[in-house]
Amino acid sequence: MKPDNATAVTLWYLLFGSTWIIGSDLVAELLLPGQSLQTIKGLLFIAVTSILIYSLVRRLEKANNKAKEFRQAIIDASPIAMYSIDPDGRVLTWNKAAESIFGWPEEEVLGKHLPIIPGDKEAEFARLRGRVMASGAFTGLEVTRQRKDGSLFPAKLSMAPIFDSEGSVIAIMATMEDISEHRRVMSALEESEEQFRKLVESAPEGILIQVDGRFAYVNAACVALLGAKSPQELLGTRVLDRIHPDDVEIAKMRLESLLHKGQAVSQIEQSIVTVNGNVIPVESVAVPFRYQGQQAGLGFIRDIRQRRAAAHERERLQKVISQTADAIMITDRNGIIEYVNPAFEQSSGYSLESIIGKTPAVQKSGQHEAEFYRDLWDTISNGDTWRGRIVNRNRQGALYTEDVSITPVLNDGEIESYIAVKRDITRELSLQGQLNQAQKMETVGRLAGGVAHDFNNMLSVILGYNELALSKIPSDSSIRNDLAEVASAAQRSASLTRQLLAFARQETIEPKRVDINDSIERSIKMLDRLIGEYISLDWQPASVPCFVKMDPTQIDQILANLAVNARDAITGQGNLMAETERIVLTDDDCAARPGLEPGPFIRVKFSDNGHGMSQEVLERAFEPFFTTKPEGTGTGLGLSTVYGIVKQNRGFVEVESEPGQGTTFMIYLPASDDVVPESSGTRESRGVRVAGETILLVEDELALLRLGQRILERTGYTVLAAGSPSSAIDLALTYDGKIDLLLTDVVMPEMNGEELRQKISEIRPDIRCLFTSGYTSDTGILENLIENRIAFLQKPYTTTSLNAKVLEVLETPIQ
């Protein structure tokens, strides 16, 4: 035991004294037996005990001083101001924290009245002293105190009495803590809490706290969302009562995780039922939460009706974009492709995955100059819409043309992306080109027909008078040879006009139901002679009959012209293939072929392996008088004749050719499935005879009228000549005798020949009729004449052909 108190000193002294007396006696007895040493032992005892007592007392003093210093060190080290005062309020002690908080050093306050009390707080301070001395200690009282610089601050005061050994209060111990910062923090906390409360209350989303599955708190947005009139209508009610029955089971599992396992639940979409019974889709999420000392859940719910409506609208727009026939491309502001619709994929060949992240430059065709693209980019980057036509290249390398509209998409005035709407017009351009070509050919055809009309009239005059002249010249006269050359030249000219009329689809024809397979089969020998021995002909007929309704002579014309065209396209040895096939054209097929109607067709294909044609030649291939042959070696009417014949028979011609790859002509003719009664044909002429019949001759061309009248009168007919339809009607009304035949031109001023026939027939029902013409712009008239078995004579005619046809008609019974 350490000698640090009175008990310890006493015990040490008793132990030492006892040990000394006993021990000293034993030592003396052993060393000096029989001698008395009391005085010496007493003196030595006093000396030794004095030293021992001094040592023990000194140790006690040091221990007390150390404890006192330790207690003072604790007081000085305290961050809380600690001081003591006597009952009158004079300062007894003052620690370092008091110096720091109040600003007065210890030497300035010890023994003086406490300086920290503001003047208006003296009475309060006196009451507090009296309270402590009478009732004892108190803690945590908030007061106002004063610093040395005069500033006031809030403080938390605790005071306790100090008693003497008799129980009297001899001093008061006080501690004081500056709570300025605490008050500031609390004020900030209260302000923050108030802001948080306002934030939660004014939040646009529903916020709720649930305890044991019941509403413990709901904000204003939650009240409104659930259709309640006030929070009190919801507080305390079951949360599950507001969940749609379809979602109740999953809601129970989420509550279990939230309240009992303390686990957050992820965001989901579900439906809630309002107080009024309305069902609202919401998005909800919740986390564990302590509320008023209880395990709770903090939940957030968001009305997603607008979002779903917007999503539905986006989905609808996406469907519109994805299903629209126009190609749509969306890029960012730098031209990087972000989206293309299926129509773009179809037209370009690029899939969405293969083109995302690229630029439209991947489709550059090389058909536009750099300035073209520069102008385009300048326009759209300035916020304007660009519209125009662009030739692009698809993924397979083929060129196609698009009408394009590129519009900037703005966000707060800044361009954020571009949207391009593109329509492939390659087909339309092709159809437009075909239409333009057809219109051009139609114009040329009308011109050719008009020329042929007047030319045939003149040729009829030339041939007629030439025959008359020949009939008067002796057979041995040298002039006969000259006139024969005139007749030959006129006949060749007549052949040219027939080709022009075929091109213009104004040639007089007699359609019949014929099998093209049979027609080609019969023409093989003719075709072999035309193409020569160095070109082989491969004939592949369809396995079924290929009936069409057309003039058989026209089939021969088509075959001959295509064979000659192939022959001229082949240098040296070569091959020509002829094929027939029965097909059915659909609406889509006919859409690309103007003038065709859907239905069964016969396709005749002629292919050669000749030198082919360039695109420029292809575009003009069917124009009359256009030829690539050297001057003087071709008329340029072969393919135009084919074109005219096919068009006249409601068909269509296509040609495919490339330089060095040969040429293929495909002719489409409507199939004829109806059996057409065959005409009995013209009867053979019995020769010229004189019968004295009366003929009403109507011709607006004066020279031809005179020639016709002269030829017929020489034969022995009575001729009533009329230069116009109105004159012919007058003659029919005023002539007293019988009129046996009306011989009239088809194309005349005032009215056409068919209209004149009808009027004359009303006047003279038993009259026969013979039409003649070199051209008519109305092919329907000629078709009507043929179908009604009305006789027709093609101009130019000769005296022989005219007399023969007139005789044939006169001998035909009136129907």
Side-chain angles (χ1 to χ4, degrees):
M1 181 180 295
K2 293 182 179 180
D4 54 358
N5 54 44
T7 302
V9 173
T10 302
L11 291 175
W12 273 101
Y13 183 75
L14 288 174
L15 178 62
F16 179 79
S18 300
T19 304
W20 175 268
I21 294 171
I22 296 170
S24 63
D25 286 347
L26 290 174
V27 173
E29 186 66 30
L30 289 175
L31 295 177
L32 299 171
Q35 292 186 15
S36 178
L37 300 175
Q38 294 298 325
T39 302
I40 296 173
K41 288 169 41 180
L43 292 173
L44 288 173
F45 178 76
I46 292 172
V48 172
T49 54
S50 295
I51 293 171
L52 178 61
I53 291 171
Y54 175 80
S55 176
L56 291 173
V57 172
R58 184 64 178 167
R59 290 183 66 181
L60 284 173
E61 287 180 349
K62 287 182 177 180
N64 289 333
N65 287 336
K66 187 175 181 180
K68 183 178 180 181
E69 289 174 359
F70 182 74
R71 287 193 297 271
Q72 186 62 43
I74 291 175
I75 293 174
D76 287 341
S78 173
I80 299 175
M82 301 178 68
Y83 59 89
S84 62
I85 57 174
D86 63 17
D88 292 331
R90 291 183 178 86
V91 178
L92 299 176
T93 61
W94 189 261
N95 75 343
K96 297 295 184 183
E99 290 184 2
S100 175
I101 292 174
F102 297 110
W104 279 284
E106 182 181 22
E107 59 270 16
E108 292 185 12
V109 298
L110 291 178
K112 298 179 181 179
H113 285 286
L114 192 63
I116 63 174
I117 309 301
D120 59 345
K121 302 295 183 182
E122 289 290 348
E124 177 192 69
F125 178 59
R127 287 194 302 274
L128 290 176
R129 292 202 318 272
R131 173 183 170 183
V132 172
M133 295 180 69
S135 305
F138 66 83
T139 60
L141 180 66
E142 292 190 6
V143 294
T144 300
R145 291 297 179 256
Q146 178 177 282
R147 296 187 182 93
K148 186 177 181 180
D149 62 8
S151 61
L152 303 179
F153 66 94
K156 184 177 289 185
L157 174 64
S158 297
M159 298 181 77
I162 299 175
F163 300 95
D164 62 10
S165 60
E166 297 178 355
S168 300
V169 178
I170 60 174
I172 298 173
M173 187 67 191
T175 63
M176 188 169 291
E177 182 182 358
D178 186 350
I179 61 172
S180 300
E181 181 64 19
H182 175 72
R183 281 199 174 180
R184 189 191 65 77
V185 171
M186 290 302 295
S187 176
L189 181 60
E190 289 176 359
E191 182 179 354
S192 177
E193 288 179 348
E194 177 64 17
Q195 290 177 345
F196 180 74
R197 186 188 65 78
K198 290 181 179 178
L199 177 64
V200 170
E201 280 298 318
S202 60
E205 295 182 0
I207 300 176
L208 61 94
I209 297 174
Q210 50 182 334
V211 177
D212 291 333
R214 296 179 179 273
F215 290 106
Y217 169 80
V218 286
N219 71 344
C222 187
V223 172
L225 183 59
L226 294 173
K229 295 179 180 178
S230 67
Q232 287 69 31
E233 194 173 351
L234 296 171
L235 296 179
T237 63
R238 285 175 13 112
V239 174
L240 291 178
D241 290 344
R242 301 274 66 85
I243 304 297
H244 191 273
D246 293 344
D247 298 323
V248 165
E249 289 304 317
I250 190 170
K252 286 180 179 179
M253 291 188 291
R254 287 164 65 85
L255 278 175
E256 176 70 19
S257 297
L258 188 66
L259 300 178
H260 299 136
K261 297 180 182 180
Q263 297 175 348
V265 292
S266 60
Q267 181 172 287
I268 64 168
E269 290 185 6
Q270 61 186 103
S271 296
I272 62 172
V273 181
T274 68
V275 173
N276 299 324
N278 297 325
V279 177
I280 298 176
V282 298
E283 188 176 71
S284 68
V285 66
V287 296
F289 190 69
R290 295 291 296 178
Y291 183 71
Q292 296 180 353
Q294 300 182 74
Q295 181 64 34
L298 175 63
F300 302 87
I301 55 176
R302 177 186 298 135
D303 185 347
I304 60 173
R305 283 176 293 183
Q306 289 185 351
R307 191 178 75 187
R308 282 194 175 178
H312 176 72
E313 181 65 16
R314 285 195 301 272
E315 182 180 353
R316 188 181 69 84
L317 292 175
Q318 179 67 25
K319 286 182 179 179
V320 171
I321 291 174
S322 64
Q323 295 178 15
T324 184
D326 290 338
I328 295 177
M329 172 192 291
I330 299 176
T331 73
D332 66 11
R333 60 180 300 168
N334 297 314
I336 304 300
I337 297 172
E338 296 178 332
Y339 171 82
V340 294
N341 70 338
F344 175 88
E345 296 180 353
Q346 184 177 4
S347 63
S348 70
Y350 289 95
S351 66
L352 177 63
E353 294 76 14
S354 67
I355 203 167
I356 288 294
K358 298 180 181 179
T359 70
V362 299
Q363 287 194 281
K364 273 190 176 181
S365 62
Q367 302 295 305
H368 304 288
E369 301 292 335
E371 185 178 356
F372 173 86
Y373 296 105
R374 207 164 35 243
D375 291 343
L376 184 157
W377 185 254
D378 288 344
T379 299
I380 62 176
S381 59
N382 287 330
D384 298 324
T385 297
W386 184 91
R387 294 181 177 86
R389 186 167 291 176
I390 300 178
V391 178
N392 280 325
R393 188 181 301 276
N394 65 20
R395 193 168 190 176
Q396 290 72 38
L399 301 181
Y400 66 106
T401 305
E402 294 180 301
D403 271 342
V404 181
S405 173
I406 306 176
T407 303
V409 179
L410 304 179
N411 185 9
D412 293 332
E414 296 293 328
I415 297 175
E416 66 176 13
S417 59
Y418 299 99
I419 180 168
V421 179
K422 310 195 293 180
R423 186 167 62 89
D424 186 352
I425 60 169
T426 307
R427 182 178 178 183
E428 286 83 345
L429 290 177
S430 175
L431 292 176
Q432 184 62 46
Q434 293 181 33
L435 177 61
N436 292 340
Q437 178 73 2
Q439 290 175 339
K440 179 175 69 174
M441 302 291 272
E442 190 69 31
T443 301
V444 174
R446 285 196 296 269
L447 174 63
V451 171
H453 172 262
D454 292 337
F455 195 33
N456 274 335
N457 283 341
M458 295 303 102
L459 287 174
S460 295
V461 173
I462 293 171
L463 288 170
Y465 280 109
N466 189 70
E467 279 196 84
L468 292 176
L470 281 170
S471 65
K472 296 179 180 179
I473 298 175
S475 58
D476 58 349
S477 173
S478 60
I479 298 177
R480 290 187 66 86
N481 293 331
D482 296 337
L483 292 176
E485 290 297 326
V486 172
S488 176
Q491 291 290 357
R492 290 197 299 273
S493 297
S495 177
L496 286 176
T497 59
R498 281 194 298 275
Q499 288 182 287
L500 283 175
L501 290 173
F503 164 72
R505 306 188 295 282
Q506 294 155 356
E507 184 182 25
T508 305
I509 58 175
E510 294 187 43
K512 298 179 180 180
R513 185 172 182 266
V514 295
D515 186 349
I516 286 188
N517 288 341
D518 293 341
S519 298
I520 297 179
E521 192 70 41
R522 288 194 300 270
S523 302
I524 292 296
K525 290 184 178 180
M526 176 197 71
L527 296 177
D528 283 336
R529 287 195 298 272
L530 285 174
I531 61 179
E533 60 183 0
Y534 295 108
I535 300 176
S536 61
L537 175 62
D538 183 10
W539 162 228
Q540 297 182 4
S543 59
V544 296
C546 296
F547 284 103
V548 297
K549 184 180 179 183
M550 63 184 299
D551 193 321
T553 60
Q554 290 185 314
I555 297 178
D556 293 338
Q557 284 181 279
I558 291 175
L559 296 176
N561 282 306
L562 290 180
V564 170
N565 188 76
R567 179 199 65 192
D568 294 341
I570 296 173
T571 302
Q573 293 184 338
N575 298 299
L576 173 63
M577 177 181 289
E579 303 174 67
T580 57
E581 181 182 9
R582 182 183 173 91
I583 62 173
V584 176
L585 295 184
T586 64
D587 288 330
D588 290 340
D589 295 327
C590 294
R593 299 174 174 90
L596 289 189
E597 295 182 359
F601 276 78
I602 304 302
R603 181 170 63 188
V604 183
K605 184 186 294 186
F606 276 82
S607 303
D608 66 63
N609 61 347
H611 51 66
M613 291 182 277
S614 66
Q615 184 63 35
E616 292 76 11
V617 174
L618 273 176
E619 292 175 356
R620 302 187 61 190
F622 297 111
E623 290 184 13
F625 305 114
F626 173 76
T627 180
T628 57
K629 299 174 186 177
E631 186 175 353
T633 59
T635 63
L637 288 172
L639 292 181
S640 61
T641 299
V642 173
Y643 177 88
I645 291 173
V646 174
K647 282 292 185 180
Q648 187 174 21
N649 289 279
R650 300 185 301 280
F652 190 80
V653 183
E654 289 182 338
V655 57
E656 296 176 355
S657 184
E658 289 185 17
Q661 301 299 317
T663 302
T664 297
F665 287 91
M666 287 172 287
I667 298 168
Y668 297 83
L669 295 168
S672 177
D673 295 326
D674 298 327
V675 178
V676 179
E678 297 292 339
S679 174
S680 59
T682 58
R683 298 176 351 182
E684 293 183 1
S685 175
R686 301 177 186 173
V688 177
R689 68 174 177 78
V690 176
E693 287 93 338
T694 301
I695 299 174
L696 176 57
L697 176 63
V698 187
E699 174 63 61
D700 62 316
E701 180 62 47
L702 184 58
L704 199 54
L705 177 65
R706 291 172 180 170
L707 174 63
Q709 182 176 4
R710 185 172 175 181
I711 292 173
L712 294 173
E713 287 178 344
R714 285 187 61 211
T715 305
Y717 297 108
T718 300
V719 178
L720 304 177
S724 66
S726 56
S727 298
I729 294 172
D730 290 340
L731 287 172
L733 290 170
T734 58
Y735 186 67
D736 293 334
K738 179 183 178 183
I739 302 178
D740 299 282
L741 176 67
L742 170 63
L743 174 57
T744 178
D745 193 6
V746 175
V747 180
M748 296 180 295
E750 299 179 7
M751 65 185 71
N752 60 46
E754 171 61 12
E755 292 171 336
L756 176 62
R757 182 190 70 83
Q758 293 176 4
K759 291 184 178 297
I760 296 294
S761 295
E762 292 175 0
I763 301 171
R764 297 177 180 266
D766 58 346
I767 195 171
R768 293 174 175 82
C769 184
L770 171 61
F771 286 102
T772 180
S773 180
Y775 148 85
T776 175
S777 59
D778 188 350
T779 57
I781 295 176
L782 296 181
E783 291 177 358
N784 182 59
L785 297 180
I786 293 169
E787 288 187 8
N788 289 294
R789 306 294 178 87
I790 298 176
F792 179 81
L793 177 64
Q794 176 75 45
K795 292 179 182 179
Y797 49 73
T798 63
T799 57
T800 303
S801 62
L802 176 61
N803 282 321
K805 193 66 176 179
V806 169
L807 177 60
E808 175 189 334
V809 174
L810 289 174
E811 289 185 345
T812 300
I814 298 176
Q815 297 181 352

